[in-house]
Amino acid sequence: MKKIIFTLAVLLSSNNLFAETLKVTSPDGKIVLSVNDDEKPSYEISFSGENIIKASRLGLAFKNAIPFSDGFSISANQKKSANSVWQLPWGERKNVTDNHNELLVTFSTKHKDDAKKFKVRFRLFNDGVGFRYEVPKQKDLDQVEIINEFTEFAINDGKKATAWWIPARGWNRYEYIYNTTDVESVDRAHTPFTFKLDSGTHISIHEAALVNYAAMTINQKRPGVLKADLTPWSDGILVKTKTDFKSPWRTIQISKDAVGLLNSDLILNLNEPNKLGDVSWVEPAKYVGIWWGMHINKNTWGSGEKHGATTSETLRYIDFAAEHGFSGVLVEGWNVGWDGDWFFNGDVFNFSKAYDDFDIKAVSDYGKKKGVRLIGHHETSGNVTNYRNQMSDAYALYEKHGVRQVKTGYVADGGDIKRIDKNGIIRKEWHDSQFMVSEYLHSITEAAKYKISINTHEPIKDTGLRRTYPNWISREGARGQEFNAWGTPPNPPEHTTILPFTRMLAGPMDFTPGIFDMGFNGLGDKSNRPQTTLAKQLALYVVLYSPIQMAADLPKNYQANLAAFQFIKDVPTNWHKSKAIAGEVGEYVAFARQERDGDDWFVGALTDEKSRTLTLKLDFLDRSKRYQAQIYRDGKNAEWINNPYEMIIENKQVTAKDELVLPLATSGGVAIRFKAL
Ligand code: NOJ
Ligand code: CA
């Protein structure tokens, strides 16, 4: 008898006879997600019939409670669908469609005395999947400390998949050159983590609505199995919270090709609507600034002979901005604290006290007359307690002088953010820890009280929170233009052909395009110069979306080439529609965008180190209109190393039926304004 029972038990578990499999599909039916009920919570995903994510574990472990994982089975489930259109106050497009099917699964233990439960909410869109943990209040689970998140992404055939990724938990935060490897060679990586399966399906793993939680990085656990790896606090705990709580959404964007990833709104759709009410004071804009001069060593942030942020220099920039239609002038280095080695000196930054040669009232009053606002700057060098203590006064001072945008900076090595705890003890934290996730968001909500928008440098990665807090106007969070001034090596030609498919899936980036003088140390200096043609610098304004864009070079370099500068003057930073039209990760990319509240369209396209010919169908244009195409393209002999400046500017009359054949030089590009006639 005993023997028979044993055989039966083996049969049941191997065949899963009584196990329930729940399924939910995307609205178009192409993505299918299944949740298995075999006392090991897991999910798997197929796309157009191909199994793309194999059975992958779900669950959480706590310091003072049983792990939510093995032994939990499905006790309830609920399905819902939604289809709506909502609007972005500023962005790549005005109208965003949220069309999804939802499955909410409750997992419970069967222990009589210690019944525990958690839920996983899955949402399937045509462009991918989001899911998050929801842990309700329950017996013996009030304050919680998460010590592990079991979430896995088991990639089908990772050896044959190509991934583009940057390392996580490194000293340089998100500012790394991208690696291109097979998935199984990935170590610990940041998200968005993008890869292409052998079949051509493109997938990107990231997260949405990262609030009061640690950032998720991913770690290769077994070959092809990428596991959530949350960035810890200085005491090793990953997340400190309280029931009931929700994790951020774990997101998997899925497309049949590379371009499809670029047209996805999944991350924004998984964020909460605007919590700030009237945000008419959040102003997309273009700006110039006292900035590049410091990066190329012509000026200093600190006081002295080469001080950049002087009253007279700022007045000169205001004149230049007013003359060319820029609404903002960024000034870095005006406040006391930069002298000495500012990288290590965050304690001495004073956010209200100016150097003697800078008069904030005089420059902002002058700006007011000229229709130009100062753009504020707060470098903290990662000393966040010093910043926190002065924050309200510092924002109030800026508001008094008509400032609407502040660029913040958290220059410090990864793991070296300095916070002073309530007992006066210095703690060192990661930029992407739960502590810093909350610290960055605090600066956003505090700034909102003063009608100030924030552009965060050395930020926490973007997870779409601009939908909820539209004053989080831009951020850095990848290698930007500054690396072309002093990075060793600078950004390689392929860098900006990878960014759109990785970093930019998260949201806008303050890359600061528009360097016209590629040879500030001579073109031969391969280690300190932009590795692009001039036309590619223009294309960046359309390709790398940000509602605030800098014309980053020195005014004299624009004055020397006003014809090319015209494109930067014309290009908007707020769009009615955006459409990625071509591209392969790490090779080339092309975007078309229609201006907000206007009829003009703009195109930007760029390539890696290979020259190519782009055939551009103009079928995105309005069929009932004629346009003048103002084309800025690489000249016949242009190539980025020795001849980056040769550019042809030409005008052509076109309609939606036309096609343009456009040559792109090595590390070249093209920028076009289609002016409606
Ligand atoms: C790094 C920022 O990315 C850069 O734009 C800024 O100029 C420096 N920090 C100084 O704050
Ligand atoms: Ca930086």
Side-chain angles (χ1 to χ4, degrees):
M1 186 59 188
K2 242 183 191 167
K3 199 175 166 201
I4 294 171
I5 291 172
F6 175 75
T7 320
L8 193 67
V10 168
L11 242 181
L12 289 180
S13 65
S14 65
N15 284 349
N16 233 353
L17 277 184
F18 295 135
E20 189 183 1
T21 298
L22 296 174
K23 276 197 191 329
V24 57
T25 68
S26 54
D28 65 6
K30 287 188 184 158
I31 305 175
V32 182
L33 180 138
S34 2
V35 183
N36 297 322
D37 188 14
D38 50 5
E39 301 217 337
K40 279 183 195 296
S42 71
Y43 71 99
E44 58 189 293
I45 300 177
S46 68
F47 173 61
S48 296
E50 179 190 14
N51 180 230
I52 55 171
I53 305 280
K54 295 184 288 185
S56 297
R57 204 171 163 195
L58 295 164
L60 296 167
F62 307 102
K63 194 168 169 194
N64 293 314
I66 61 158
F68 283 12
S69 166
D70 294 2
F72 280 66
S73 48
I74 298 174
S75 56
N77 76 86
Q78 251 176 296
K79 284 189 174 178
K80 273 205 315 216
S81 292
N83 192 359
S84 63
V85 176
W86 57 275
Q87 294 195 327
L88 279 166
W90 51 262
E92 305 91 317
R93 54 184 58 80
K94 187 163 190 182
N95 297 315
V96 182
T97 301
D98 175 354
N99 183 13
H100 68 257
N101 294 330
E102 181 178 292
L103 169 68
L104 179 63
V105 184
T106 306
F107 293 98
S108 312
T109 46
K110 292 189 183 117
H111 308 296
K112 274 200 203 85
D113 334 316
D114 191 21
K116 287 272 181 305
K117 67 172 177 192
F118 71 100
K119 299 177 185 187
V120 182
R121 192 180 296 272
F122 296 94
R123 278 197 189 157
L124 273 78
F125 302 78
N126 291 341
D127 52 348
V129 172
F131 64 87
R132 74 170 178 213
Y133 298 98
E134 300 183 2
V135 179
K137 280 198 193 311
Q138 50 201 294
K139 192 168 158 267
D140 300 329
L141 204 68
D142 179 29
Q143 299 289 337
V144 293
E145 295 192 329
I146 298 176
I147 53 169
N148 201 353
E149 179 176 320
F150 298 119
T151 311
E152 285 174 355
F153 307 90
I155 313 304
N156 198 7
D157 222 350
K159 221 179 180 49
K160 291 201 199 131
T162 308
W164 295 270
W165 58 283
I166 50 171
R169 224 84 90 239
W171 70 273
N172 222 358
R173 308 164 304 270
Y174 300 103
E175 296 170 25
Y176 287 95
I177 291 177
Y178 281 86
N179 295 302
T180 305
T181 69
D182 63 282
V183 164
E184 293 195 2
S185 305
V186 175
D187 186 18
R188 193 188 239 157
H190 276 304
T191 72
F193 172 79
T194 301
F195 57 99
K196 172 188 170 180
L197 297 178
D198 198 31
S199 61
T201 300
H202 282 66
I203 300 172
S204 186
I205 297 171
H206 187 44
E207 59 185 313
L210 171 54
V211 176
N212 195 22
Y213 210 83
M216 179 182 78
T217 66
I218 51 177
N219 202 346
Q220 185 120 208
K221 210 177 117 200
R222 294 188 310 280
V225 180
L226 306 173
K227 183 190 168 297
D229 185 2
L230 307 187
T231 301
W233 284 76
S234 47
D235 63 6
I237 301 295
L238 305 181
V239 177
K240 305 176 187 189
T241 187
K242 193 169 177 313
T243 52
D244 52 7
F245 72 88
K246 293 170 180 156
S247 75
W249 294 90
R250 278 66 190 91
T251 60
I252 306 170
Q253 283 161 285
I254 306 166
S255 166
K256 66 176 185 351
D257 54 21
V259 173
L261 287 180
L262 305 177
N263 291 315
S264 163
D265 288 320
L266 182 92
I267 306 289
L268 284 173
N269 272 326
L270 289 168
N271 274 271
E272 310 249 314
N274 173 12
K275 285 191 177 162
L276 298 182
D278 172 27
V279 286
S280 51
W281 46 271
V282 179
E283 295 168 350
K286 278 174 293 187
Y287 69 103
V288 292
I290 298 176
W291 181 76
W292 187 240
M294 277 85 90
H295 287 270
I296 59 173
N297 270 324
K298 277 196 160 15
N299 295 110
T300 54
W301 282 276
S303 61
E305 261 174 32
K306 283 165 66 183
H307 190 208
T310 63
T311 301
S312 58
E313 185 71 341
T314 309
L315 298 180
R316 201 171 70 83
Y317 268 81
I318 290 174
D319 285 340
F320 179 80
E323 186 187 340
H324 296 285
F326 293 80
S327 62
V329 172
L330 167 71
V331 183
E332 293 196 4
W334 68 268
N335 63 306
V336 166
W338 293 90
D339 293 338
D341 198 345
W342 58 269
F343 190 103
F344 296 103
N345 248 344
D347 303 35
V348 299
F349 276 118
N350 183 318
F351 300 104
S352 302
K353 197 162 182 265
Y355 281 119
D356 288 345
D357 52 0
F358 185 79
D359 183 340
I360 189 168
K361 182 164 175 353
V363 296
S364 49
D365 286 352
Y366 184 73
K368 222 167 278 163
K369 278 195 244 143
K370 294 266 180 171
V372 174
R373 292 181 194 277
L374 278 192
I375 296 180
H377 184 233
H378 288 155
E379 176 56 63
T380 67
S381 289
N383 191 326
V384 294
T385 306
N386 180 48
Y387 186 36
R388 183 60 104 112
N389 292 339
Q390 301 179 54
M391 198 179 266
S392 308
D393 291 346
Y395 293 154
L397 173 75
Y398 275 143
E399 189 195 26
K400 190 172 102 191
H401 292 295
V403 169
R404 284 282 168 87
Q405 285 164 13
V406 174
K407 170 175 169 180
T408 57
Y410 296 79
V411 170
D413 282 358
D416 241 351
I417 286 280
K418 183 172 167 188
R419 99 177 143 94
I420 300 172
D421 73 9
K422 54 180 187 301
N423 301 315
I425 298 168
I426 295 175
R427 308 278 178 193
K428 294 297 182 84
E429 307 290 352
W430 291 94
H431 286 72
D432 55 350
S433 61
Q434 181 188 16
F435 168 74
M436 279 307 288
V437 163
S438 300
E439 201 63 21
Y440 287 113
L441 185 55
H442 177 78
S443 83
I444 302 302
T445 51
E446 192 61 22
K449 296 182 190 160
Y450 301 88
K451 296 195 167 36
I452 283 174
S453 299
I454 298 286
N455 165 18
T456 317
H457 277 235
E458 297 74 51
I460 177 67
K461 67 185 173 184
D462 200 347
T463 56
L465 283 171
R466 64 179 156 135
R467 177 174 178 190
T468 317
Y469 305 100
N471 70 325
W472 205 337
I473 198 153
S474 201
R475 66 184 100 191
E476 193 186 36
R479 273 174 151 244
Q481 185 87 269
E482 61 182 9
F483 276 83
N484 299 329
W486 42 254
T488 35
N491 300 327
E494 69 168 13
H495 185 60
T496 48
T497 66
I498 299 179
L499 282 181
F501 301 94
T502 52
R503 160 68 184 80
M504 304 306 294
L505 295 182
M509 177 179 176
D510 186 40
F511 181 88
T512 67
I515 295 305
F516 275 25
D517 179 9
M518 249 55 92
F520 41 89
N521 296 327
L523 285 180
D525 183 349
K526 301 244 165 41
S527 58
N528 284 161
R529 59 158 286 199
Q531 300 194 337
T532 74
T533 67
L534 178 59
K536 185 170 176 176
Q537 287 290 324
L538 298 182
L540 291 172
Y541 286 89
V542 183
V543 170
L544 300 180
Y545 173 65
S546 175
I548 51 163
Q549 291 279 26
M550 187 177 203
D553 210 339
L554 308 175
K556 68 169 190 200
N557 294 326
Y558 294 131
Q559 253 134 8
N561 193 347
L562 288 173
F565 190 42
Q566 190 61 43
F567 183 79
I568 303 180
K569 291 165 68 167
D570 292 340
V571 70
T573 61
N574 196 14
W575 306 99
H576 182 67
K577 273 188 204 157
S578 286
K579 213 178 151 216
I581 43 189
E584 289 295 343
V585 191
E587 295 180 15
Y588 65 99
V589 65
F591 277 92
R593 305 190 196 266
Q594 184 190 3
E595 66 179 335
R596 189 76 68 110
D597 304 320
D599 293 325
D600 292 2
W601 278 81
F602 289 75
V603 159
L606 49 84
T607 175
D608 62 359
E609 68 288 347
K610 292 202 190 89
S611 60
R612 332 176 171 259
T613 303
L614 181 74
T615 304
L616 186 69
K617 280 203 181 109
L618 304 185
D619 53 4
F620 52 86
L621 295 173
D622 186 331
R623 297 199 163 269
S624 65
K625 290 197 161 64
R626 283 180 313 116
Y627 297 82
Q628 183 190 49
Q630 302 169 353
I631 305 170
Y632 302 72
R633 63 178 173 89
D634 292 318
K636 197 163 152 262
N637 299 310
E639 46 91 14
W640 77 263
I641 300 176
N642 298 307
N643 193 18
Y645 304 120
E646 192 184 316
M647 194 169 76
I648 292 171
I649 304 177
E650 61 185 356
N651 295 337
K652 279 187 182 166
Q653 284 223 12
V654 298
T655 69
K657 288 195 198 125
D658 290 318
E659 221 173 58
L660 293 177
V661 179
L662 302 158
L664 310 178
T666 60
S667 198
V670 58
I672 310 172
R673 175 189 189 188
F674 294 92
K675 192 173 178 321
L677 296 172

